[in-house]
Amino acid sequence: MASHRKPRTRVTRVRTTAPALGITTAAIASVGLLAQSAGAAPAAPTAPQPTVEEVQKKVDALYRQAGTATQQYNLAKEATDQQRKSVDGLLDAVADRTGKLNEARRKLGNYAAAQYRSGAVTPTAALLLADSPQAYFDQNRLMDRMTERQRMDVTDFEKQQTEAAKKRAEATRSLESLTESQATLKSSKQDVQRKLAEARDLLSRLSAREKARLAELEKKREAEARRKAEAKAKAEAEAEARAEAEAERRREQAQADESGTEAGTGTGSGADTGTTPGTGTGTGTGTGTGTGTGTDAYAAKAEKVLAFARAQIGKPYVWGAAGPSSFDCSGLTQGAWKAAGVDLPRTTWDQVNVGTRVATDNLKPGDLVFFYDDISHVGIYIGGGKMIHAPKPGAYVREESIYYMPIYGSVRPA
């Protein structure tokens, strides 16, 4: 019998734990990733950026090194120029000797040709085929058969041959030396360019704020150098005032001595006769002294030096340049003293050995002031603790305190 009951509907319950399973799986994956990260090597730390002060010191050092390399370049260039002139002269001498040798050979050839036309190969012809003419003609019988003129021509030929060989060997040595100097010149040039490029690269990495900070540090250094220059200017003015006062005192003393002193005595007696005999004497003495510094001639030269240097203010510094449109430091000093009729060497290393060494306290206008332990920079003293110099790449010839850089020493060129 069929059942009339309603079929029971099966209810499917949804498990509430399913989402929890998904979260757990993700968490497990995350833990695994964290574990892998923990086991991996830590990232390399980023190198600390240099401070502005460190950049300033580094750039200054690079400019100084570039200055040293510039002096090395100048030295190599000077040697190269001199050797090139020497080589040119030797090559001219070789050409001259070769011409004389060919002329001597031509004369001997004429003798050989004449004897060949006569029908035989004579001793003179054999001479031309021999390795050593003198060795061949040392045979007495052959020498006896030669005329005196022929002997003279043979002697001349050997002389020209020897001299030509000597000049060729000398020219070869000079060419080798020139090649070495040119290699040094090239190396020095590359060194300068490398140092300057490194300095520019360091400066280009600075931010606007860092560049402002660098400019501030530069101003402080300039202010300190200016303060020292002002102190020296004051000391120089006081010393000059004392010297003038002393000179005035000596002039007054000399005038007093020149006026001398006068002394006189007199006696007399009289009688009724109306006669009055008398005697009188007088003496006077005077002395005068004078001293001079003997610097008038130097002052005249220094005036020309400073006039030249001032005329170059505003022209750019270019390493290896000696005018007229640009200068490096030693090129400027060389040109300035040349205007006064004094020839200075090209490099700071040679200029420091010219003339007389003077102390900083005794500097006079026109003196050369050298800087750094390696003597890689030089300026022209103008008085008042200041100088005119060609500072560095990117700068122009200008006046500046001598205390801006560490002083090595000073010289008076003439």
Side-chain angles (χ1 to χ4, degrees):
M1 181 175 175
S3 177
H4 297 284
R5 289 180 299 178
K6 186 178 180 180
R8 188 176 180 181
T9 304
R10 184 179 297 272
V11 178
T12 302
R13 294 183 179 180
V14 179
R15 296 181 61 182
T16 58
T17 57
L21 177 61
I23 294 173
T24 302
T25 303
I28 291 173
S30 298
V31 171
L33 291 173
L34 289 173
Q36 291 177 2
S37 299
T46 304
Q49 294 297 316
T51 65
V52 175
E53 288 79 5
E54 290 172 339
V55 170
Q56 182 190 46
K57 290 180 180 179
K58 180 64 175 176
V59 169
D60 286 347
L62 287 169
Y63 277 139
R64 176 181 172 184
Q65 293 166 17
T68 303
T70 296
Q71 295 307 313
Q72 183 64 44
Y73 171 86
N74 291 338
L75 188 65
K77 188 175 186 302
E78 190 174 41
T80 299
D81 292 343
Q82 291 175 353
Q83 289 169 354
R84 184 176 289 110
K85 291 178 182 178
S86 175
V87 167
D88 289 343
L90 286 171
L91 291 177
D92 289 342
V94 167
D96 181 64
R97 287 295 176 184
T98 301
K100 292 180 179 179
L101 177 62
N102 290 336
E103 177 63 20
R105 183 181 288 112
R106 185 188 63 78
K107 289 181 179 179
L108 294 182
N110 290 338
Y111 294 145
Q115 292 173 357
Y116 178 78
R117 286 193 296 270
S118 66
V121 177
T122 63
T124 304
L127 167 65
L128 294 177
L129 301 176
D131 292 334
S132 174
Q134 185 58 56
Y136 189 84
F137 281 117
D138 279 343
Q139 302 175 41
N140 293 332
R141 188 180 63 172
L142 180 60
M143 292 295 290
D144 290 341
R145 295 176 60 184
M146 296 181 67
T147 66
E148 183 64 25
R149 181 57 182 272
Q150 288 174 327
R151 293 192 187 96
M152 292 175 60
D153 288 338
V154 169
T155 301
D156 182 59
F157 175 81
E158 289 185 328
K159 176 182 177 182
Q160 300 305 332
Q161 192 176 44
T162 300
E163 289 296 327
K166 180 179 178 181
K167 289 298 181 182
R168 280 194 296 268
E170 191 175 352
T172 299
R173 289 193 298 270
S174 293
L175 283 170
E176 291 173 351
S177 180
L178 175 60
T179 301
E180 292 177 1
S181 294
Q182 288 174 331
T184 301
L185 185 66
K186 181 179 179 180
S187 176
S188 299
K189 180 178 181 179
Q190 292 173 341
D191 195 18
V192 174
Q193 293 173 331
R194 184 169 55 252
K195 299 297 183 184
L196 295 180
E198 190 175 349
R200 287 193 297 267
D201 182 59
L202 280 173
L203 293 174
S204 67
R205 296 179 189 177
L206 296 178
S207 65
R209 179 177 297 180
E210 288 172 329
K211 290 179 180 178
R213 171 63 177 159
L214 185 62
E216 181 182 350
L217 292 174
E218 185 68 16
K219 286 181 180 179
K220 287 184 178 180
R221 184 164 66 172
E222 291 175 353
E224 177 62 16
R226 187 164 52 250
R227 183 190 65 77
K228 291 181 179 180
E230 290 171 352
K232 180 166 177 57
K234 181 179 179 181
E236 288 179 355
E238 291 174 350
E240 185 177 356
R242 288 194 299 270
E244 289 180 355
E246 177 64 17
E248 180 63 23
R249 186 192 66 79
R250 291 187 176 186
R251 283 194 296 270
E252 292 176 353
Q253 181 64 43
Q255 290 174 358
D257 291 340
E258 287 175 359
S259 63
T261 59
E262 294 183 356
T265 59
T267 60
S269 61
D272 292 339
T273 58
T275 61
T276 305
T279 62
T281 61
T283 61
T285 61
T287 60
T289 61
T291 60
T293 60
T295 60
D296 290 344
Y298 183 78
K301 291 180 180 179
E303 186 176 352
K304 295 178 181 178
V305 170
L306 298 184
F308 178 92
R310 288 191 174 100
Q312 313 314 314
I313 290 177
K315 293 183 179 180
Y317 174 102
V318 174
W319 64 271
S325 58
S326 58
F327 295 87
D328 62 18
C329 65
S330 56
L332 177 64
T333 53
Q334 184 187 49
W337 269 99
K338 186 175 182 179
V342 177
D343 290 328
L344 294 182
R346 180 63 179 90
T347 70
T348 55
W349 303 326
D350 291 326
Q351 290 181 6
V352 74
N353 294 319
V354 174
T356 305
R357 293 293 293 269
V358 294
T360 303
D361 290 341
N362 298 326
L363 284 171
K364 293 181 179 179
D367 291 347
L368 301 182
V369 185
F370 297 86
F371 301 90
Y372 301 115
D373 291 340
D374 58 359
I375 322 175
S376 56
H377 192 71
V378 62
I380 305 169
Y381 192 64
I382 62 175
K386 294 183 179 181
M387 65 178 170
I388 296 176
H389 71 141
K392 59 185 179 182
Y396 298 85
V397 176
R398 66 192 182 200
E399 291 186 9
E400 198 159 42
S401 168
I402 62 172
Y403 298 103
Y404 184 78
M405 296 167 283
I407 297 173
Y408 170 84
S410 306
V411 300
R412 190 161 295 152

